Amino acid sequence: RNGVNGYVVDLHDKKAFANAVIRLLTDKSLHNKMRRATLKEVKKYELDNIIGIWEKTYKALRTGIVRHH
């Protein structure tokens, strides 16, 4: 998420990319804030969480709870 756990810049905007990198390298507080936000975000994708989601989906499909539109 732009400004929360990183920066989004235009693919061809080298100046914006460089500025974002420099900001992260020179602002330790910002770096740590974004680092913590990133670590929190990736927890959603840990194997135990994903397995639970898939198990619920398969059970729902097997019992016909999920309907196709």
Side-chain angles (χ1 to χ4, degrees), residues 6-68:
Y7 290 112
V8 177
V9 296
D10 183 83
L11 179 63
H12 303 289
D13 191 342
K14 294 175 186 174
K15 186 175 182 177
F17 177 75
N19 286 336
V21 171
I22 290 168
R23 192 167 185 198
L24 285 171
L25 290 174
T26 58
D27 188 335
K28 189 72 168 174
S29 176
L30 177 65
H31 174 267
N32 287 331
K33 179 182 170 187
M34 286 191 175
R35 181 180 149 285
R36 286 189 302 274
T38 298
L39 292 173
K40 183 178 177 182
E41 181 74 16
V42 298
K43 288 190 180 291
K44 293 185 213 175
Y45 305 101
E46 288 180 345
L47 188 57
D48 289 340
N49 295 328
I50 298 300
I51 288 173
I53 292 168
W54 278 103
E55 286 176 342
K56 289 177 186 176
T57 301
Y58 287 136
K59 286 177 185 176
L61 288 169
R62 190 176 59 219
T63 60
I65 293 173
V66 174
R67 307 217 190 295
H68 297 284

